[in-house]
Amino acid sequence: MELVQPLHAPGFSLRQLNGRDWLYALVVLMAAGVAYSRYGHAMDGYEQGILAGSTLGLIALGWFWKSWQWYFPLSGALALGGLALYGDDLARGQTSFGLKFLLSSQSAIMWMCFLYFLATAVYWLGLLRRSDFLNRVGSGLTWAATVLGLTGLFVRWGESYLIGADVGHIPVSNLYEVFVLFCLITALMYLYYEARYQARQMGAFVLVVISAAVGFILWYTFDRQAHEIQPLIPALQSWWMKIHVPANFVGYGAFALSAMLGVAELLAMRGILTNKLPKPEVIDEVMYKAIAVGFLFFTIATVLGAMWAADAWGGYWSWDPKETWALIVWLNYAAWLHVRLVKGWRGAVLAWWAVIGLFVTSFAFIGVNMFLTGLHSYGTL
């Protein structure tokens, strides 16, 4: 099988940076400086370390992926606009037009949901009609949804502190918030690979799993009123949550993306939509890279979770159902990477494996919360 090469060869050097790259870095450093000057007195040493590490990570990500240089500042600017409309009065969310219909956290996230649904439909139309224009529109809609989703999370973070200093927390504490995070991470990873491989046709499949998550968000919002901000339970009142949960969901997003690409590859190999999809070799390569990135971050998240458990419960591992299923997920993708890299497997077997892996991951993500009890039972539906 011919090795697939991306359009842009990887590689990085400081000499490649231009004025826009350094301007982006300056903006991130200034934002971090403002955050520290305003809230540094309330941070412990660990949280100051997270702020410093996040700042460096955001700069590195912007240098590596140029689209991040406009995406992240734009989302931040919109969030600051929304918080400025609030002032110090959370009740303005019901009277301010800008908040009520666009920039409150709930409004922004509902726009995100609508735009992801619309992007899914447009991507499918573009795929079936082989229309590059419709595929570009789908990509633009996905970007717009992802901007508003991150804006919504930023504003929700600020809203929690408007409720009370003892209520305020990073918005990754319940299923509503992490499903929004899952949508954003999956979409961002897809948008990166879409641009790198010039393969917008993959969006028709990847956006399906994002739309499924959006469906859960809408049900959870209107049936359970889960969008209402609640104080953190004692088990989650820890700085560990700020690094463990995002790392975990990079893994979940990558595994979901790879599963949907597995579906696309299986269809292409069976002659279905073959002339409309990228070559199976391209899909296979993107699927592999997504799993490799997801496995790295899931490994980091698992280690961080063990350290958090030791800090909270006095032991690194207790064979709690959530921990056990996290290990099953880790072993599943470790085996997938082993047979691809060491044994040289390719094609249908690994595509099926990636698809089945999504069901394993989904049970670890939400099925354990629904059907099993343990130390993580605070995450039940």
Side-chain angles (χ1 to χ4, degrees):
M1 180 181 295
E2 182 182 354
L3 182 64
V4 178
Q5 295 292 341
L7 294 183
H8 304 288
F12 175 77
S13 170
L14 287 176
R15 289 177 295 182
Q16 297 174 340
L17 300 178
N18 56 33
R20 192 179 71 173
D21 296 323
W22 290 109
L23 178 61
Y24 165 77
L26 179 61
V27 169
V28 174
L29 287 170
M30 289 175 61
V34 171
Y36 182 77
S37 66
R38 295 189 62 178
Y39 308 112
H41 65 280
M43 298 179 182
D44 59 25
Y46 295 109
E47 290 170 325
Q48 292 173 5
I50 291 172
L51 176 62
S54 299
T55 302
L56 295 176
L58 288 169
I59 291 173
L61 181 57
W63 285 353
F64 174 74
W65 185 24
K66 305 302 183 181
S67 296
W68 186 266
Q69 293 184 14
W70 66 261
Y71 166 73
F72 184 73
L74 176 58
S75 300
L78 289 173
L80 289 174
L83 293 173
L85 290 175
Y86 274 118
D88 295 321
D89 184 6
L90 192 63
R92 284 183 55 81
Q94 300 302 317
T95 59
S96 169
F97 181 88
L99 290 171
K100 192 173 182 179
F101 295 102
L102 182 61
L103 290 178
S104 70
S105 66
Q106 184 62 4
S107 297
I109 289 170
M110 288 300 101
W111 274 110
M112 177 203 78
C113 293
F114 168 72
L115 290 171
Y116 276 140
F117 277 142
L118 187 58
T120 304
V122 172
Y123 267 127
W124 272 101
L125 282 173
L127 176 68
L128 296 175
R129 296 184 178 182
R130 302 182 67 178
S131 170
D132 185 60
F133 170 75
L134 287 174
N135 285 332
R136 289 199 303 271
V137 172
S139 182
L141 290 169
T142 304
W143 271 115
T146 308
V147 166
L148 287 171
L150 185 58
T151 298
L153 285 185
F154 282 157
V155 174
R156 185 178 177 88
W157 198 345
E159 289 170 347
S160 69
Y161 280 93
L162 289 176
I163 295 173
D166 58 335
V167 176
H169 60 270
I170 185 173
V172 293
S173 65
N174 57 39
L175 281 176
Y176 173 83
E177 293 168 349
V178 298
F179 259 88
V180 176
L181 181 65
F182 168 81
C183 291
L184 298 183
I185 289 175
T186 307
L188 285 168
M189 292 191 70
Y190 163 70
L191 288 166
Y192 168 75
Y193 288 120
E194 175 191 84
R196 184 171 178 181
Y197 288 86
Q198 291 295 295
R200 291 191 177 96
Q201 303 93 325
M202 298 186 301
F205 290 87
V206 177
L207 266 291
V208 168
V209 75
I210 296 175
S211 290
V214 164
F216 177 87
I217 291 170
L218 294 175
W219 168 79
Y220 208 38
T221 297
F222 296 111
D223 188 71
R224 302 296 181 89
Q225 299 299 304
H227 64 287
E228 297 178 358
I229 298 173
Q230 302 292 336
L232 283 178
I233 63 173
L236 297 178
Q237 293 175 5
S238 171
W239 58 269
W240 286 103
M241 183 178 70
K242 299 176 182 178
I243 52 178
H244 168 69
V245 175
N248 226 7
F249 277 85
V250 174
Y252 286 148
F255 298 151
L257 186 154
S258 67
M260 299 313 296
L261 294 181
V263 173
E265 182 179 0
L266 289 169
L267 290 176
M269 293 175 67
R270 283 161 175 74
I272 303 172
L273 301 175
T274 302
N275 61 340
K276 296 179 172 64
L277 287 168
K279 293 181 179 179
E281 293 85 353
V282 174
I283 301 174
D284 182 84
E285 182 74 4
V286 178
M287 181 173 63
Y288 156 65
K289 289 183 181 298
I291 287 179
V293 172
F295 181 75
L296 170 63
F297 276 89
F298 195 79
T299 301
I300 294 171
T302 302
V303 172
L304 291 173
M307 296 171 70
W308 186 2
D311 189 33
W313 300 318
Y316 290 99
W317 199 265
S318 58
W319 295 105
D320 172 79
K322 195 77 169 181
E323 296 171 353
T324 302
W325 275 92
L327 179 61
I328 291 171
V329 171
W330 187 89
L331 290 172
N332 175 67
Y333 288 105
W336 192 100
L337 290 168
H338 173 78
V339 298
R340 191 186 194 280
L341 295 173
V342 177
K343 301 298 184 180
W345 289 16
R346 298 288 191 279
V349 173
L350 291 188
W352 274 113
W353 195 334
V355 173
I356 295 170
L358 177 60
F359 291 96
V360 176
T361 304
S362 297
F363 188 82
F365 174 18
I366 195 170
V368 170
N369 298 21
M370 295 173 63
F371 304 115
L372 303 176
T373 59
L375 294 172
H376 293 77
S377 295
Y378 51 78
T380 53
L381 286 172

